[in-house]
Amino acid sequence: MSDSISLGTYLFARLNQKPLGLNSIFGVPGDFNLTLLDKISEVKDLHWRGCTNELNAAYACDGYSRVKGNGSAEGLGFGALVTTFGVGELSALNGVAGSYAEHVGMLHIVGIPSVDAQKNQLLLHHTLGNGDFSVFHKMSSHISGTTGVINDPALAPDVIDRVIREAYINQRPSYLAFPANMVDVPVPKERLNKPLDLNIPKNDPELQEEVIEEVIDKIRKAKDPVIIVDACCARHNANKEASELIKISNFKYATTPMGKGTKDIDEQNPKFTGVYVGSLSYPHVKEAVEKSDLVLSVGALLSDFNTGSFSYSIQTKNVVEFHSDYTKVKGATYPEIRMKELLGKLIQSQALKQVFKEHLHQSNCERTFTTPDAQKLRGLK
Amino acid sequence: MSDSISLGTYLFARLNQKPLGLNSIFGVPGDFNLTLLDKISEVKDLHWRGCTNELNAAYACDGYSRVKGNGSAEGLGFGALVTTFGVGELSALNGVAGSYAEHVGMLHIVGIPSVDAQKNQLLLHHTLGNGDFSVFHKMSSHISGTTGVINDPALAPDVIDRVIREAYINQRPSYLAFPANMVDVPVPKERLNKPLDLNIPKNDPELQEEVIEEVIDKIRKAKDPVIIVDACCARHNANKEASELIKISNFKYATTPMGKGTKDIDEQNPKFTGVYVGSLSYPHVKEAVEKSDLVLSVGALLSDFNTGSFSYSIQTKNVVEFHSDYTKVKGATYPEIRMKELLGKLIQSQALKQVFKEHLHQSNCERTFTTPDAQKLRGLK
């Protein structure tokens, strides 16, 4: 039995393998990706989902990734899309740009002319006729988290592993240029024995400790905190942590339009106030959020659609922002402090649990003395 | 009567004015170009050609420019296309890239968000959500001859004139980003009294003289020259000059697939051998071109389609290439020596006419002594 497989098969085996576990590849065949597409059938349980055009394929792949992310038990969303050089890949750009804007993990694989054709600067079809084969790669780089070009057989599997990893972890499309003549290059099969490491990088422990203390301090000083769950909470798989924070804090909470339906966020709980979308919100939601003196924002994606055309009336000085790749506590930004690990540590913190208890006691006391019935009892009304 | 007009009206008046004389503007309305489109109706005889999507609009505009170029009496082809920021303009890219690859003059006007929205980095719809409003401009720059962004009212008319001029002269798409809030900025109406200068830059006279001498020398030494007319001959309006060269030289001539149908090139003349497309040519065309010891190539566009998948068997050392922006005489390249003026001077050259006479005499003699009848008469057979 051969101890090598083709590079094309390696790519699809990686995508099919756990932890990714893709079963579908979307796209449109074209001159420069035909040999590559042949390799899909070599991977068991991996299926080609041919689409009627590349834009459809990009949207299908985007949807697949979203559903896989928010719907599956574990892990982030991911999808893969195959187009052909030039006219094919350009047709997919609007879909890919949408995935970039909304943090959707996706690998855009583009079958490109052979390395020799590029070296000789052939005026091939699908080119601009100027001998520059990197134009479309450059165009896509503006809407990609990272890009990779396969040109060296020895390094090719590393390039593949890198672009998959970055697309997955950052939940942004990666672009992979795959020359037609590299599809059958043999690579060691044993590389597949070690699954891809798709773990999110660990936060710096000392800096994270500092952030946790700051956040707890802000919560302690706040009288009326509120939690907002937004789109990137689900996209970056922080829903369980956010749900636990909601449960143990007993704070009121809202979602945004794009955060609505986030898995694990209970919308039946009395503490759930509804959907906050700036001036377009129901009055009670607007009041609950905007009168709060501390907003804990998880995975915000502040597009005009998602904010009621930027009609948020939350003051920056009252906000703690938990993001996939940084954290902001009021005015202070902490780069590389990622929300999933930070929220995980936060909800385990005994100090925070103590603060929540104080909050609960205080809020119960206030309720006792300030509800109409209590006021009547106390002769205030 | 007001002595100023809106910048939007200025743009469309320029496009409608001679020497361009556009009567149609193609495109698709969208949030960020609506106020701009309103200005089209202010220009007499200018019509909005709304399309069902931006890709269609780009192809319609491309076709309009080609027909205007090869079909009209004078001047180069030109068309104008209006799309909206982000998703709209990205949908047009394949069409615009095609115009770039095949030397089609076109202005791609994109209605973009207001300058203020950009300054404040609003997470507006159609953006990538990263506050970078220049992304789509950067993407288009790879398939544009030049680009321009309107951001200063005082300089705006100059930016408009420049992008039109460069798109026209170089027969490549230009990209113009037009912010929504700049449409009604007043500009002096009197600017329109001076029509746009769309003259092709003059060649350096001394260098041009050197090139003419070299070309005549090569023609003098050649025994069996052939002329090939290709796509860029029509695109850069050198058809009359090429036609005259064919007439006065009496050389045999061919077109390429993309050069076929070039205005003024007579396909009924006995000296017209047919369409040369490398190994896919009819045998007599292939022989006529490939056995020639001097190919005079006018406006070559050597794509795989146009060359029978690169099956040209012309030796570089036997070729004089006349291009829109340079000339190549065998191995020597002369930058900025543009074919239209060069061919114009060449066909007026008395020295060249003398060489043609010698060629004609020689070719008549050869015919006299080498046709089967002549050989019989001379007792050779």
Side-chain angles (χ1 to χ4, degrees):
Chain A
M1 210 174 131
S2 170
D3 54 359
S4 71
I5 51 171
S6 76
L7 186 64
T9 310
Y10 177 82
L11 167 65
F12 293 118
R14 269 296 191 223
L15 293 170
N16 175 248
Q17 196 182 41
K18 294 280 172 194
L20 287 177
L22 300 195
N23 299 113
S24 293
I25 305 286
F26 301 88
V28 180
D31 272 13
F32 301 110
N33 66 27
L34 295 176
T35 49
L36 182 62
L37 296 186
D38 283 346
K39 305 298 177 188
I40 294 177
S41 61
E42 292 188 8
V43 180
K44 201 174 161 252
D45 295 330
L46 188 63
H47 305 281
W48 171 240
R49 309 298 183 189
C51 301
T52 50
N53 66 51
E54 286 85 358
L55 188 58
N56 291 352
Y59 286 128
C61 181
D62 176 287
Y64 179 89
S65 176
R66 286 174 197 244
V67 170
K68 210 168 155 52
N70 198 34
S72 63
E74 282 301 326
L76 307 179
F78 201 75
L81 168 72
V82 186
T83 62
T84 192
F85 184 66
V87 63
E89 57 184 303
L90 291 186
S91 293
L93 290 192
N94 260 320
V96 178
S99 306
Y100 184 87
E102 299 203 350
H103 286 251
V104 175
M106 176 195 294
L107 180 62
H108 184 191
I109 303 155
V110 181
I112 70 169
S114 72
V115 174
D116 270 356
Q118 295 179 55
K119 273 191 195 147
N120 295 330
Q121 303 200 328
L122 293 187
L123 269 173
L124 225 52
H125 60 295
H126 296 216
T127 74
L128 296 180
N130 56 3
D132 183 355
F133 283 69
S134 67
V135 165
F136 309 119
H137 173 195
K138 286 181 203 148
M139 290 173 79
S140 269
S141 70
H142 296 289
I143 52 166
S144 302
T146 190
T147 69
V149 182
I150 291 175
N151 45 27
D152 181 335
L155 299 176
D158 286 334
V159 172
I160 289 173
D161 291 358
R162 177 180 63 79
V163 292
I164 292 176
R165 180 177 155 76
E166 294 197 26
Y168 180 87
I169 287 175
N170 301 323
Q171 289 288 288
R172 301 278 201 174
S174 284
Y175 176 97
L176 178 66
F178 205 129
N181 69 314
M182 299 290 279
V183 171
D184 281 308
V185 159
V187 295
K189 198 175 179 177
E190 64 170 4
R191 277 189 69 108
L192 291 172
N193 296 340
K194 195 182 164 196
L196 271 179
D197 173 12
L198 296 183
N199 289 309
I200 299 170
K202 300 292 281 180
N203 292 335
D204 175 89
E206 272 187 52
L207 187 57
Q208 180 163 264
E209 201 47 52
E210 183 185 329
V211 176
I212 288 173
E213 281 174 24
E214 284 300 320
V215 173
I216 294 176
D217 182 59
K218 299 299 174 278
I219 294 175
R220 180 183 294 114
K221 289 174 181 162
K223 287 197 171 133
D224 190 22
V226 63
I227 298 170
I228 300 182
V229 175
D230 204 342
C232 285
C233 175
R235 218 81 93 224
H236 292 274
N237 199 26
N239 10 352
K240 280 193 180 159
E241 290 79 359
S243 161
E244 184 68 13
L245 182 70
I246 287 167
K247 211 186 314 175
I248 64 174
S249 71
N250 203 39
F251 294 161
K252 54 187 181 298
Y253 61 102
T255 69
T256 62
M258 288 173 71
K260 185 152 169 56
T262 298
K263 207 181 167 217
D264 302 319
I265 304 301
D266 180 6
E267 297 181 3
Q268 305 303 322
N269 188 308
K271 287 281 177 179
F272 178 67
T273 64
V275 175
Y276 179 63
V277 54
S279 62
L280 306 178
S281 317
Y282 280 119
H284 73 278
V285 183
K286 187 169 157 61
E287 189 179 324
V289 172
E290 294 176 7
K291 287 208 171 162
S292 162
D293 59 349
L294 184 69
V295 174
L296 301 170
S297 157
V298 183
L301 206 163
L302 302 177
S303 69
D304 60 351
F305 163 74
N306 207 29
T307 61
S309 297
F310 309 112
S311 59
Y312 265 34
S313 295
I314 303 171
Q315 291 188 303
T316 317
K317 65 182 173 59
N318 289 340
V319 184
V320 175
E321 295 176 34
F322 300 96
H323 290 286
S324 61
D325 50 357
Y326 71 101
T327 300
K328 202 170 163 201
V329 182
K330 298 198 166 189
T333 298
Y334 300 90
E336 308 288 328
I337 297 295
R338 293 164 176 262
M339 67 180 170
K340 188 173 168 64
E341 184 187 344
L342 175 65
L343 286 171
K345 295 273 183 207
L346 200 62
I347 56 182
Q348 284 162 17
S349 155
Q350 289 308 318
L352 185 71
K353 282 175 186 161
Q354 183 58 37
V355 172
F356 287 151
K357 261 186 210 165
E358 291 161 21
H359 264 285
L360 193 62
H361 176 71
Q362 189 186 358
S363 124
N364 285 343
C365 291
E366 276 169 14
R367 196 175 303 140
T368 311
F369 296 109
T370 57
T371 58
D373 284 349
Q375 287 174 336
K376 267 186 203 159
L377 282 173
R378 289 161 62 219
L380 296 172
K381 266 196 176 171
Chain B
M1 207 175 131
S2 170
D3 55 359
S4 71
I5 52 171
S6 76
L7 185 64
T9 310
Y10 177 82
L11 167 65
F12 292 118
R14 269 294 193 225
L15 293 170
N16 175 248
Q17 195 182 41
K18 294 280 173 196
L20 286 177
L22 300 195
N23 299 113
S24 293
I25 305 287
F26 301 88
V28 180
D31 271 13
F32 300 110
N33 66 27
L34 295 177
T35 49
L36 182 62
L37 296 186
D38 283 345
K39 303 299 177 190
I40 294 177
S41 61
E42 293 188 7
V43 180
K44 202 174 161 256
D45 295 330
L46 188 63
H47 304 282
W48 171 242
R49 311 297 184 191
C51 301
T52 50
N53 66 50
E54 287 84 359
L55 187 59
N56 291 351
Y59 285 128
C61 181
D62 176 286
Y64 179 88
S65 176
R66 287 175 195 243
V67 170
K68 210 169 156 54
N70 199 33
S72 63
E74 282 301 328
L76 307 179
F78 201 75
L81 167 73
V82 186
T83 62
T84 192
F85 184 66
V87 63
E89 58 185 302
L90 291 186
S91 294
L93 290 192
N94 259 320
V96 178
S99 305
Y100 184 87
E102 300 202 349
H103 287 251
V104 175
M106 176 195 293
L107 179 62
H108 184 191
I109 303 154
V110 181
I112 70 169
S114 71
V115 174
D116 270 356
Q118 295 178 54
K119 273 192 194 146
N120 295 329
Q121 303 200 329
L122 293 186
L123 269 172
L124 225 53
H125 59 296
H126 297 216
T127 73
L128 296 180
N130 57 3
D132 183 355
F133 282 69
S134 67
V135 165
F136 309 118
H137 173 196
K138 286 181 203 148
M139 290 171 80
S140 269
S141 70
H142 297 289
I143 52 166
S144 303
T146 189
T147 69
V149 182
I150 291 175
N151 44 28
D152 181 335
L155 299 176
D158 286 333
V159 172
I160 288 174
D161 290 358
R162 177 180 64 77
V163 293
I164 291 176
R165 181 177 154 76
E166 294 197 27
Y168 180 87
I169 287 174
N170 301 323
Q171 290 288 289
R172 300 278 201 174
S174 284
Y175 177 97
L176 178 66
F178 205 129
N181 69 313
M182 300 291 281
V183 171
D184 281 308
V185 160
V187 296
K189 198 175 178 177
E190 63 170 5
R191 278 189 68 108
L192 291 172
N193 295 340
K194 194 181 165 198
L196 271 180
D197 173 10
L198 296 185
N199 289 309
I200 299 172
K202 301 291 281 179
N203 292 336
D204 176 87
E206 273 186 52
L207 188 57
Q208 181 164 262
E209 202 45 53
E210 182 185 328
V211 176
I212 287 173
E213 282 175 25
E214 283 299 321
V215 174
I216 293 176
D217 182 60
K218 299 298 173 280
I219 293 176
R220 180 182 294 116
K221 289 175 181 161
K223 287 200 171 127
D224 190 23
V226 63
I227 298 169
I228 300 181
V229 176
D230 205 344
C232 284
C233 175
R235 218 80 94 224
H236 291 275
N237 198 26
N239 10 350
K240 280 193 180 159
E241 290 79 1
S243 161
E244 184 68 13
L245 182 70
I246 286 167
K247 212 188 312 177
I248 63 174
S249 71
N250 203 38
F251 294 160
K252 54 186 181 297
Y253 61 101
T255 69
T256 61
M258 287 173 72
K260 185 154 169 56
T262 297
K263 209 184 167 213
D264 302 319
I265 305 301
D266 180 5
E267 297 181 4
Q268 305 304 321
N269 189 308
K271 287 282 179 180
F272 179 66
T273 64
V275 175
Y276 179 65
V277 54
S279 62
L280 305 178
S281 318
Y282 280 121
H284 72 278
V285 184
K286 188 170 156 62
E287 190 180 324
V289 172
E290 294 177 5
K291 288 210 170 159
S292 162
D293 59 347
L294 184 69
V295 174
L296 301 170
S297 156
V298 183
L301 206 161
L302 303 177
S303 70
D304 60 349
F305 163 73
N306 206 30
T307 60
S309 296
F310 310 110
S311 59
Y312 265 33
S313 295
I314 304 171
Q315 291 188 304
T316 316
K317 66 179 172 59
N318 289 339
V319 184
V320 176
E321 295 176 35
F322 300 95
H323 290 286
S324 61
D325 50 357
Y326 72 100
T327 301
K328 203 170 161 199
V329 182
K330 298 200 166 188
T333 297
Y334 300 90
E336 307 288 329
I337 296 294
R338 292 162 177 265
M339 66 180 172
K340 188 173 170 63
E341 184 188 344
L342 176 65
L343 286 170
K345 296 273 183 210
L346 201 62
I347 55 182
Q348 285 162 16
S349 157
Q350 289 307 320
L352 185 70
K353 282 175 187 160
Q354 184 56 38
V355 172
F356 286 152
K357 262 187 210 162
E358 290 161 21
H359 263 286
L360 194 62
H361 176 70
Q362 189 187 357
S363 128
N364 284 343
C365 292
E366 275 171 13
R367 196 175 301 139
T368 310
F369 295 109
T370 56
T371 59
D373 284 350
Q375 287 174 337
K376 268 187 203 158
L377 281 173
R378 289 161 62 217
L380 295 172
K381 264 197 176 172

